Structures are given as C-alpha cells and as structure tokens.
Amino acid sequence: VCSMGNSTSRLYSALAKTLSGSAVSQHQDCLEQPDSARLDPIDPKDLLEECQMVLQKRPPRFQRDFVDLKKNAASNHRPIRVMQWNILAQALGEGKDNFVQCPMEALKWEERKCLILEEILAYKPDILCLQEVDHYFDTFEPLLSRLGYQCTFFPKPWSPCLDVEKNNGPDGCALFFLKDRFELINSANIRLTAMKLKTNQVAIAQTLKCNETGRLFCIAVTHLKARTGWERFRSAQGCDLLQNLKSITQGAKIPLIICGDFNAEPTEEVYREFSNSSLNLNSAYKLLSPDGQSEPPYTTWKIRPSGECRHTLDYIWYSQHALNVNSALGLLTEEQIGPNRLPSFNYPSDHLSLVCDFSFNQDPDRLL
C-alpha cells in the first residue's frame, strides 16, 4: 500500500485498519472499539481520495451514465437513490468461484475492497443493498457507519464461505441507509422458507420514514438460491418473501422497494411471481428498454471452467402505484467489460451494480 502522506494520516488510519483484517477473530476487535472512535465522522470525499490512492496502479473506473426516465412527473422532494449490488464474497472469489480469466492479483482484498468502496462513494446512495458481504464487521460497518449510514447485516446460516480456508466468516445480506434522511420504524430479518422448510437464504426488510416528506416506505434486500435445477426452490423462496412483505407493508399500503440477486432469469417462475404479485411491483431496469418491457441483456458476466456465463439475475422491484423511477444507471457495455469478463482489475465483482433514483407519487392516497 502506498504512503498516504501526513495530511491524510488520520483518515488513512481508519482505512488501514480494514486492510489487514482477514480472520474471524478480527471481528471482535472491530466491535469492541469505543463508539466515539468508531463513529467519528469521515468525509466521503476524503475516503474516496484514499481509495483512489490505493488503486493508483489499477485502470480507472468505468464511466457509466444515468438515464433520465422522468415522464413529466414533478416532485417537490429530493429523489431517493437506491443501490443494489452483489459485491462477490471475498472467500468465494478467491476460493470457490473459479474465475479462470481473472488473475488472482486482481482479487486481492486490500485493493478490491477499495474498488467496491470507490463504486459506492461515486454514486452516493441514500440506501445501499448488498449481497455476498463477508467483510461486514471489519470493513463495511465501521466505514459506512462513519459516513452516516445505519447498518444491518444478516448472514446465511450455512455460508459457503466457511468452507474456504482463511475465510472471514459467513457471507450474507447487508442494508445501509443514511440516518440524516430516514428514520427506522421497523426492521425484520427473514430466513426464507421453501416447502415449509427453513433454507440457507435470507432477507432484510426495513420500514423507513423519509424525514423530508414524512412518508413511510419499506426497503428489502435478498439473495435467492443459486444454480440451475433449483428453479422451483427459488419460486418457493420468492413466494415466502412476498408473503412476508405483504404483511410488513399492510398489503401494499406502505410503498415497497426490493433489491436482490434473485439468481433467476426473467423467464423463471419466481420472476413472474414478483411481476404478477398483488403488491403491484415493477422492475425498475425494464424502463431502460425502448418499450419499457424488457430486462437488460445481462447483469452478470463471467467465465468459469464450464464456460462463459452471461445472465440477468439482479433486480430492483418497486411499487409502481406509489413510486416513480426518475433515473437509472446504465450498465457497462461489452467493450467496457472486455474479453476476460468480470471480475477484473477494472471491476471488483462478477455482478454489476444497479442504481435508481426514486420519488414518491404525488397522490399518496392512490393505491392499487
């Protein structure tokens, strides 16, 4: 890691603490820091500069542009920016996922962590939904809490990360929201069921109040079962999640945003369940298509020993009766991704981040 210089030594000391932690035992060190030390605010511009210094030998970030999707919908409040991202668990990236075209050097946590933070800091989400988080306690919670986020983590009961030597604990879903924009009203950690059996997949659902408008809404993050052959299982998990969310939102009286890696193409049954739900959900990224009816051609693109995998698996669902999508972040092009696909020296995950700006419908009493 390069020298940071005296002017940034105080900030760098906070970042550096997260560079060395790789063992589960390190989690306790992070948890036992005094609150005043952990919660001492960090300027996001300074942290972004620190990350860029660590990454100075890597290629620059890809340029992605927001697409304006407003349909003459005037709004008298700031939009709510929501970011969805499967960041790739470090233990899986190094130990299980076999990205045959990605050099191991590109997966070093000391630098890959800064690539992830750089992506988050560049888009400045008000709400951040992550999957495959296995460095929550030693990286994301201590840093993002100091950036003003309230942080919640729910690990998988039997995380595959634990099978990897020198792992950093289980991976799971994490949800972060800016405390100066929202107030937490209710939070639920949901272990998803399928065929009435508890599964290894989880979700977090939180009801928030927007401080600016006083409006309530629910934000949920999930990660469904992976792999071909598990379509019915994912369908059952999706049904269980929808049932939970119907209860939490009082049958869609409270607007809803669901972020997740569903591990399901739009042709799968679980996708149709969300599309046809009584919660009146729409998939935000469909709005980027010319007719507003088609999902992007891919949200993940990787090369494994079995071959090239190019799929649309990641979604941001929203209550279309109560919320408007003002804009969405365009995806990386094939040319930007490059022939070796993802992850790479340029991009830290095999999944692309999705980012949308939402506003409340101006007729709050209009329901389904």
Side-chain angles (χ1 to χ4, degrees), residues 21-24 26-27 91 134-136 138 161-162 166-170:
S22 60
V24 177
Q26 301 255 341
H27 296 179
D134 64 345
H135 275 270
Y136 175 81
D138 64 10
C161 293
L162 298 178
K166 297 181 180 177
N167 66 77
N168 200 63

Side-chain angles (χ1 to χ4, degrees), residues 207-353:
T207 303
L208 305 180
K209 183 171 81 171
C210 177
N211 293 335
E212 186 178 343
T213 65
R215 299 281 295 274
L216 295 179
F217 67 100
C218 177
I219 178 76
V221 56
T222 195
H223 188 186
L224 301 188
K225 173 67 181 169
R227 311 242 185 273
T228 303
W230 292 86
E231 292 81 7
R232 288 184 62 195
F233 197 82
R234 281 190 286 274
S235 175
Q237 289 182 326
C239 284
D240 182 52
L241 179 57
L242 285 169
Q243 282 300 120
N244 277 279
L245 294 174
K246 283 175 188 174
S247 174
I248 290 168
T249 62
Q250 302 166 31
K253 288 182 181 177
I254 298 173
L256 175 62
I257 300 170
I258 309 164
C259 295
D261 175 358
F262 280 62
N263 277 307
E265 291 274 11
T267 52
E268 270 198 37
E269 180 64 29
V270 68
Y271 182 94
R272 291 192 291 274
E273 287 163 0
F274 274 72
S275 293
N276 300 327
S277 165
S278 62
L279 295 173
N280 196 25
L281 300 170
N282 193 22
S283 174
Y285 264 72
K286 281 167 55 176
L287 302 179
L288 288 180
S289 66
D291 62 358
Q293 299 299 314
S294 305
E295 292 289 353
Y298 51 84
T299 61
T300 178
W301 202 340
K302 67 202 90 177
I303 301 175
R304 285 177 166 152
S306 57
E308 196 158 340
C309 308
R310 176 180 178 266
H311 300 292
T312 300
L313 307 178
D314 307 89
Y315 306 95
I316 300 178
W317 298 90
Y318 70 101
S319 301
Q320 56 186 338
H321 63 282
L323 296 166
N324 300 307
V325 184
N326 296 1
S327 61
L329 182 65
L331 300 175
L332 293 175
T333 65
E334 179 177 0
E335 183 180 12
Q336 285 176 310
I337 289 172
N340 294 330
R341 309 315 183 199
L342 304 173
S344 65
F345 282 108
N346 301 74
Y347 201 78
S349 176
D350 54 325
H351 289 252
L352 299 178
S353 63

Side-chain angles (χ1 to χ4, degrees), residues 41 85 125 150 153 173 177 193 199 211 220 315 351:
W85 199 14
Q150 184 154 326
F153 175 63
C173 292
F177 66 84
T193 64
T199 73
N211 293 335
Y315 306 95
H351 289 252

